[in-house]
Every structure is written in C-alpha cells, then in structure tokens.
Amino acid sequence: QVLRFICRGEAPFRPAMLSSGAAACLRPRVKAPCWARALQVQHRVEPPNGVIPTELFARVAGTPAVVRQAVDVGTKITLSDVTQAAFRIRGHVSQTSFVESNRMSEVLGAKVFFKREYEHRTGSFKERGAANVLMQLTEAQRSRGVCAASAGNHALAVAYHGQQLGIPVSVVMPVVAPITKVQNCRKFGANVIVEGEHLLESRQVAAQLEEERDLLYINGYDDPGIIAGQGTVALEMLNQVQDLDAVVVPVGGGGLIAGMALAIKTLNPSIRVVGVESERCASWQAALRAGTPVPFEMQGQSTLADGLAVTTVGGNAFALAKDLIDEVVSVSESSIALAVLRLLEEERAVVEGGGATGVAGFLDGKLDSLKGKRVGIVLCGGNIDTPVLGRVIERGLAADGRIHRFTARVSDRPGGIANLTGILAAAGASVKDILHERASLKEDIASVAITVFLETRDSEHAATVQDRLRERGVDFTWHSGGAGRTS
C-alpha cells in the first residue's frame, strides 16, 4: 500500500504496517510485503489521521534537492534510490497502464501483460530517469543548464522536462537522428545541435559543451539517477499486477533493465528478469562473456531496434544488474519487424523496434521457457517515424509469409501477362506490383520476364499459389517466402 502511495498518492499509511514487516524485509529471499522491502524503515511513527507525514518521506525518499556530484563507475545504487525516485517524480511523470492482452496472450502462448511506456508525453520510459535527475539539481546548476547526446528518446525526455522545470537544455544529435525527433526537441525549447556521423561523435561534441559552458552532462543509460528513475517502472508493475512469474525487458545501454532488476529482485526474488536485445547489437551478452563492458562490433550493420543500438553497455548498469538478471537473449531483425506488426494488428499499438523486442523474443522462439507463465513485457517506446514504420510493416509482412516476390517468363504477346494475373487471382493472391522487363531474356525474343510482388494470407497460401502456377505450366522462380522453389 505504501508503494501505491508512492506511485499514485492513494493509499493510507498505518504504523502497524511498518512494525510488522520491518524485520522480515531485511532478510534475503524471505517474502515480505512490497512496501516493507521498499522502505526498509524500522521506526514506529504515529501519523495524524493515519496518513504518512512528509517528515517520514523526507527520511526515506529524500524530498529535498541534493547536490549532484561527479559519478564514478561502481557507484552503489540501492532500492532506496528507486523509491526516492518514485516519490520525487510523482506528479511530473504519469503512471502508465499495465494490463493483460488477451489477443497477444493467445499469439505468444503465455498470459501476457503489457507495460505501455509509450504512453508518456515524449513516447518512452526515458522520462522517468530524466525527471529524476533534473529534479535533484541545485539552483546554481539549474541556471547553468544541462546537456545530453542522444539520437532520440533521451534527448526528447531531457528537453521536455527541462522545459517543464525551467532548465536550459542543449542536446547533440547525430546526423542520422530522425527529423521528427530533432524537430520535437526544438519544440520543447532545447538548443539542438545536429553534429556527428554517429552517437559517439555527438557525445564528443557534448563533452565540449560540458567543459566550455560548465553544463551537467546527463548520460542516458548509466547515470545512477537515470537508473533509479527507470527502476520505477518495476515498482508500478509490481503494484498493478500480482503474481508475475517473469518480466521481459528490452536491453540497450542497460539502464532500464538494471533499475528494474534491482527493484524486482529485492521485492520479489522469485520473479525472473529476462533481457532481450537485437542480435546485431548484443552488447550485454558481449559484456557477460568478457566479464566487463566491452564494445560490440556491429560491422556497419543497422538494426530496426535503433533505440537499443548501444555498442557498449553502461559500467554502472552492468555492475548493478549482471548478477540480478536471469537471462539475456538476442533476437533477429525479422522477428523485430514481425513483433511491430503483431502489436499494430492485435493491440492497435504503434511501438518502435526497440520497444517490441520483448514480443520478438517469443516470436523468435527464444522465450519458450516462459510459455504458460504470467509474463510482464515492457513496451518501452513508441517513437517511430512514419516512413520507417511503413518499411518495418513490409518486412513484418514478409517475415509472416504474407508478402512474396517471384519472377516468371511469359509470352510477349497480348494476353501473356493477363494469363499470369488470372492464375494469381483464381488462387486468391493480391498483386501489389509488377515489373516488366525484356532485355534480360536474350535467347527468346518472344518472351518477357515479369517480376511480381504479391500478398497472400500466410505461407501455406503462398505454397498453394506456387502449386497453381506449376499446374498451369508457368516457368517461374520464387525469390521470397515459401520454400524458394524453382519451377
């Protein structure tokens, strides 16, 4: 109930709650009420009217602003930091919904609950950490301002809450950053500098700003205040849904899963914490193999989960969570595209690639051990450009066996193409596009090569279409979908 008070300010506080659970919450792996573990307070306080007094929260939640010091890797982060963050950002960051999805539960084979972090004003969980850090600044630091390097979500969160708190914000974004995110940062009043071919170069520019203007640089995934703020996702989830068996969390720089793992494993160690990252940027698994954060070589490849494309995980995040996370899996690009498509079709939810990796873990067969369980999946963001969304949908349809391409040789006389499209129509396939080429067939001037893009219901339907083409004697090569057969 105290967790409920922290998150929403609803529940009354009774002194008997603390006295009964105080000793039990200090013993590891002993089930105690969530509020007892979260606060770890051993004082008997008789509040007026049974409501928790501000003075007590001042002791356990650190309500006054504190001076932020330079942070070294290895800084100790505790559950107290997460509960302080939850109290601190209440009223500034909205609680997001966490509800069961009957449709996706059937698709994934588990009782699935989605934590919809894309409901935030800026479209991602990043608001939690950003607000937590900004609200702890001294007046002197607030007047000087802060800076950040980000390709999107972190920049948006810092810009928005900086505007709300009256703090000057400068963000450095790489040239590959989506135009809409750059524009939205400017709408939030940030000084936006687009410089750097990639995020590392943008970070170097931000470092110059930090030194020249005495700004505070806010790391988007490894600052202790950021990690503590992201951990509030777990506090809300545990308060909203009871008896979870596992929580699945996307992994990029590691700040989100580190904060959540800390909260979950302290409050209920029996809940499994599973991370999911793109196989094209599996930096957490690289760190596990090396025993320390090391760069993951992406070899020039991009990923649909661009928000998770952090080649080296944070040192604080890794030190905190490496022994708390039960499992980390990597997923394919096709499964990410399919996950975005499934969420759009079944949930009517627009989720970016990085936010959909938890669902991708099931679709890719990497989370079969969680089937039949009660699983919470964090949909961590929904900031995806419309053109990118269109391409992702197309890839998702292809991965789902619904978009195909084949090349056929037909007669270059009137009715040749009509005969081919008639066969496809009779088979129930929908033609999306046709490319007509004569030059590639050098041996037979009476024939023409036709490349057809078509939509089918599923892979089985595509196989039926191939059978119909074969039965009618069509000379074709199937390039995508189905079994890739040539006839």
Side-chain angles (χ1 to χ4, degrees):
Q1 285 185 320
V2 175
L3 272 181
R4 199 170 295 125
F5 182 94
I6 293 172
C7 296
R8 295 199 298 271
E10 295 179 359
F13 169 81
R14 305 292 177 188
M17 294 179 182
L18 292 179
S19 60
S20 64
C25 74
L26 297 177
R27 294 195 296 270
R29 295 192 174 276
V30 175
K31 282 194 175 181
C34 288
W35 47 264
R37 281 188 179 276
L39 295 181
Q40 298 189 357
V41 176
Q42 300 184 55
H43 304 287
R44 272 191 165 286
V45 181
E46 187 62 49
N49 302 320
V51 178
I52 189 165
T54 304
E55 303 89 276
L56 178 58
F57 261 121
R59 291 203 298 273
V60 299
T63 50
V66 298
V67 178
R68 291 179 53 79
Q69 304 292 339
V71 177
D72 296 323
V73 172
T75 299
K76 182 67 174 177
I77 306 169
T78 68
L79 182 63
S80 176
D81 297 312
V82 181
T83 56
Q84 288 175 35
F87 182 80
R88 187 177 294 117
I89 68 177
R90 184 165 59 92
H92 296 267
V93 177
S94 300
Q95 178 171 281
T96 57
S97 60
F98 184 39
V99 295
E100 181 182 357
S101 170
N102 293 323
R103 289 184 175 183
M104 289 301 290
S105 292
E106 294 177 1
V107 171
L108 303 182
K111 199 173 185 66
V112 171
F113 301 81
F114 285 132
K115 182 62 171 169
R116 297 171 176 170
E117 287 295 286
Y118 57 83
E119 293 176 346
H120 289 296
R121 174 65 179 82
T122 63
S124 85
F125 73 98
K126 292 286 188 177
E127 285 195 27
R128 298 173 182 271
N132 186 46
V133 170
L134 293 173
M135 294 179 70
Q136 295 182 73
L137 301 183
T138 62
E139 288 302 320
Q141 188 62 66
R142 287 185 179 217
S143 64
R144 288 193 295 270
V146 300
C147 63
S150 167
N153 290 343
H154 177 57
L156 287 168
V158 174
Y160 173 70
H161 284 282
Q163 182 185 62
Q164 298 299 303
L165 297 170
I167 301 172
V169 174
S170 295
V171 295
V172 184
M173 308 181 77
V175 294
V176 295
I179 295 176
T180 55
K181 292 183 180 180
V182 174
Q183 292 174 333
N184 286 334
C185 284
R186 289 189 171 126
K187 288 180 182 178
F188 292 142
N191 171 36
V192 180
I193 302 169
V194 181
E195 189 170 340
E197 292 298 322
H198 48 73
L199 191 57
L200 181 58
E201 291 185 359
S202 298
R203 171 64 183 97
Q204 293 170 349
V205 176
Q208 294 176 359
L209 292 177
E210 180 183 14
E211 183 176 351
E212 294 170 359
R213 305 182 189 178
D214 194 21
L215 304 178
L216 173 69
Y217 178 78
I218 303 177
N219 186 296
Y221 52 86
D222 206 39
D223 185 292
I226 291 288
I227 294 174
Q230 321 305 30
T232 62
V233 178
L235 295 186
E236 288 183 8
M237 292 173 71
L238 295 177
N239 180 58
Q240 291 169 307
V241 174
Q242 306 300 312
D243 301 322
L244 288 173
D245 295 310
V247 172
V248 179
V249 187
V251 179
L256 176 61
I257 195 169
M260 291 187 62
L262 171 64
I264 291 170
K265 289 300 185 180
T266 306
L267 296 172
N268 191 343
S270 65
I271 297 177
R272 287 179 57 80
V273 177
V274 180
V276 183
E277 57 188 353
S278 167
E279 64 183 13
R280 291 193 175 181
C281 190
S283 51
W284 191 276
Q285 293 177 81
L288 287 176
R289 289 191 295 269
T292 188
V294 294
F296 180 87
E297 183 56 59
M298 293 185 67
Q299 299 177 338
Q301 297 184 108
S302 62
T303 172
L304 295 176
D306 57 326
L308 306 182
V310 179
T311 56
T312 305
V313 299
N316 286 316
F318 185 74
L320 173 64
K322 63 184 176 65
D323 296 324
L324 298 177
I325 300 173
D326 295 287
E327 182 183 10
V328 176
V329 301
S330 58
V331 293
S332 65
E333 292 296 293
S334 61
S335 68
I336 296 173
L338 185 55
V340 172
L341 178 64
R342 285 283 185 271
L343 288 166
L344 186 62
E345 291 184 326
E346 302 295 342
E347 286 294 296
R348 306 298 185 265
V350 178
V351 179
E352 61 186 272
T357 54
V359 174
F362 279 93
L363 298 177
D364 214 14
K366 301 295 180 65
L367 299 179
D368 288 347
S369 61
L370 300 183
K371 289 192 173 182
K373 307 289 187 181
R374 292 171 60 86
V375 182
I377 300 178
V378 181
L379 304 179
C380 63
N383 290 319
I384 183 170
D385 282 354
T386 303
V388 175
L389 178 61
R391 293 196 295 270
V392 171
I393 290 174
E394 287 184 353
R395 293 187 183 188
L397 289 169
D400 202 23
R402 293 155 62 183
I403 291 289
H404 304 270
R405 176 175 63 95
F406 72 90
T407 301
R409 177 183 295 192
V410 301
S411 171
D412 193 17
R413 290 188 171 85
I417 296 178
N419 179 59
L420 176 64
T421 56
I423 297 172
L424 298 175
S430 175
V431 176
K432 312 304 292 183
D433 199 4
I434 289 181
L435 299 179
H436 186 267
E437 185 188 12
R438 290 185 173 86
S440 62
L441 295 181
K442 300 177 181 179
E443 298 178 357
D444 187 359
I445 62 173
S447 298
V448 62
I450 302 295
T451 299
V452 180
F453 298 84
L454 75 161
E455 182 178 359
T456 62
R457 293 187 297 273
D458 48 35
S459 295
E460 291 185 3
H461 185 204
T464 300
V465 172
Q466 293 182 64
D467 291 338
R468 296 293 179 272
L469 292 171
R470 193 175 297 106
E471 290 170 1
R472 297 292 297 272
V474 177
D475 181 7
F476 71 94
T477 301
W478 199 266
H479 300 294
S480 63
R485 294 172 289 185
T486 300
S487 299

